[in-house]
Amino acid sequence: MTSSSATLSSSSFSSTSALSSSKFRFKFPSFSRTSSLSSRAKPFTASSSTTTHNISGEIRHCSLSRRRGLAFTATLPFLLPLHEFVDSVAAKAVESGSGQSEYLRIKEEIIKVVTKGKAAGVLRLVFHDAGTYEMDENSGGMNGSIVYELERPENVGLKKSLKVLEKAKKEIEAIQSVSWADMIAVGGAEAVSICGGPKIPVTLGRLDSGEPDPEGKMPEESLDASGLKQCFRRKGFSTQELVALSGAHTLGSKGFGSPVAFDNSYFKILLEKPWNSSAGMTSMIGLPSDRAIVEDDECLRWITKYADDQNMFFEDFKNAYMKLVNCGAKWKSM
């Protein structure tokens, strides 16, 4: 699902190569094999200090690996009840010591640059980076590859949001290294909080990819409810999580209440089906995918619950978001 609002769609570091564009100049870490990337995809580029990171780490499916050496199997989040997985993530995210100070520093710099007006675009970055994840193929996910995918049609407009986070990233990297994947994950969480949504803890330690993810993996906004549910199941998400994450559309310009307020207006307006009205611009509200889920009985059950109970929506969105930003992530070994 793609739009100008927040949508549900789309560096192991061994060396750093400067890749430039006509407007910005970032330096992105990459694998040694990525010297051929220019023929496949242009990364977003602008000036930044060079950093080097250990490339060791294993692919995890929505999993964590932190300083205390805890390791989860690739399928654990899908075997454990969601609340157990989320509790584990939260515990790691608020871990005391140097990890906590790094996390707070990243949040502090992000808050300086992400205003309410820019929140929808920053949150959209999360969905477009993580949305390429495919569980069975063990590909895509929250890996910072969005920097190589900005020219894809579904990612139109995201260069501006990446530039916003680049300002914070440059300040952070004067003190500590930080991956694009971590910046985007924390940035989206702070965008939600800034606009009045739930506070979402995010664990750190993701490594960036050195190449773009495969194309055609984002959920398409033209899918019907059945297609959307199948697409999200391939990414390890239930119908409940699909509906909760769709609530991100409450931010932005698609007509679901205030464009800068994260609340449950999205679900209330879905139930009203204003696009069926002939009055004014109501036919322009929402995406085809938004209109599709309200016609599905299973999705409608959750839409109704969230329209009636904002606290339930906040809790379920927080849990689904924490799961989303760990899907497909490759983690530093500590």
Side-chain angles (χ1 to χ4, degrees):
M1 295 186 277
T2 60
S3 77
S4 60
S5 62
T7 56
L8 308 180
S9 70
S10 180
S11 318
S12 285
F13 301 74
S14 60
S15 66
T16 303
S17 58
L19 301 171
S20 62
S21 71
S22 60
K23 294 182 70 175
F24 307 113
R25 182 176 180 78
F26 280 85
K27 292 183 179 179
F28 288 103
S30 61
F31 297 112
S32 58
R33 69 172 183 272
T34 59
S35 58
S36 62
L37 280 176
S38 59
S39 64
R40 290 179 290 168
K42 272 189 176 180
F44 180 61
T45 59
S47 71
S48 182
S49 58
T50 301
T51 57
T52 304
H53 297 261
N54 191 306
I55 65 169
S56 60
E58 299 175 2
I59 292 292
R60 311 287 188 192
H61 292 180
C62 296
S63 62
L64 306 174
S65 175
R66 290 292 287 157
R67 288 179 172 78
R68 295 180 183 175
L70 288 177
F72 293 83
T73 63
T75 56
L76 186 58
F78 306 106
L79 298 176
L80 288 176
L82 179 58
H83 74 274
E84 291 184 23
F85 168 65
V86 169
D87 287 347
S88 175
V89 176
K92 288 312 201 179
V94 299
E95 184 177 313
S96 61
S98 61
Q100 175 71 349
S101 64
E102 292 172 7
Y103 180 57
L104 292 176
R105 186 175 296 117
I106 292 171
K107 287 181 60 174
E108 178 183 351
E109 294 300 330
I110 286 174
I111 291 170
K112 291 178 182 178
V113 298
V114 178
T115 62
K116 287 185 176 182
K118 297 173 181 175
V122 172
L123 182 55
R124 185 171 170 239
L125 272 175
V126 176
F127 288 103
H128 286 237
D129 193 35
T132 56
Y133 178 63
E134 291 287 326
M135 187 167 56
D136 290 341
E137 297 176 10
N138 189 25
S139 66
M142 198 72 204
N143 57 15
S145 66
I146 189 70
V147 301
Y148 299 105
E149 301 157 7
L150 295 173
E151 303 306 318
R152 294 179 182 178
E154 66 267 25
N155 295 331
V156 170
L158 288 178
K159 185 177 290 187
K160 291 181 180 179
S161 299
L162 207 63
K163 184 182 176 184
V164 170
L165 291 185
E166 187 271 339
K167 295 177 183 178
K169 190 173 188 289
K170 191 182 331 185
E171 293 298 320
I172 295 163
E173 290 194 324
I175 301 172
Q176 67 192 53
S177 61
V178 59
S179 67
W180 270 113
D182 278 352
M183 283 295 300
I184 294 169
V186 179
E190 291 309 302
V192 169
S193 178
I194 288 166
C195 292
K199 296 186 182 302
I200 308 175
V202 176
T203 205
L204 301 181
R206 297 167 191 77
L207 295 171
D208 282 340
S209 173
E211 60 186 358
D213 285 339
E215 296 191 55
K217 302 300 182 180
M218 294 291 296
E220 296 178 14
E221 63 182 51
S222 61
L223 290 174
D224 60 15
S226 176
L228 285 169
K229 290 194 288 187
Q230 290 177 17
C231 180
F232 273 72
R233 277 197 295 271
R234 292 196 301 271
K235 301 175 188 300
F237 290 87
S238 67
T239 299
Q240 176 189 3
E241 291 165 330
L242 159 62
V243 175
L245 289 171
S246 295
H249 287 184
T250 193
L251 290 181
S253 59
K254 296 311 294 180
F256 295 108
S258 169
V260 295
F262 191 96
D263 54 26
N264 65 341
S265 295
Y266 171 79
F267 303 105
K268 293 179 178 179
I269 294 173
L270 280 184
L271 293 177
E272 296 171 0
K273 301 182 182 179
W275 46 85
N276 290 334
S277 171
S278 59
M281 298 292 289
T282 55
S283 62
M284 302 297 291
I285 293 176
L287 300 171
S289 53
D290 297 317
R291 303 175 191 187
I293 62 173
V294 77
E295 301 298 338
D296 177 82
D297 288 342
E298 186 180 11
C299 292
L300 180 60
R301 185 163 63 250
W302 290 107
I303 291 169
T304 303
K305 287 178 182 290
Y306 295 150
D308 291 339
D309 191 338
Q310 181 167 279
N311 289 335
M312 177 186 289
F313 164 52
F314 277 14
E315 183 66 16
D316 288 352
F317 181 87
K318 179 187 75 172
N319 292 345
Y321 182 96
M322 291 164 68
K323 180 176 174 180
L324 176 69
V325 297
N326 291 294
C327 284
K330 191 172 184 178
W331 300 88
K332 295 178 185 179
S333 292
M334 298 298 180

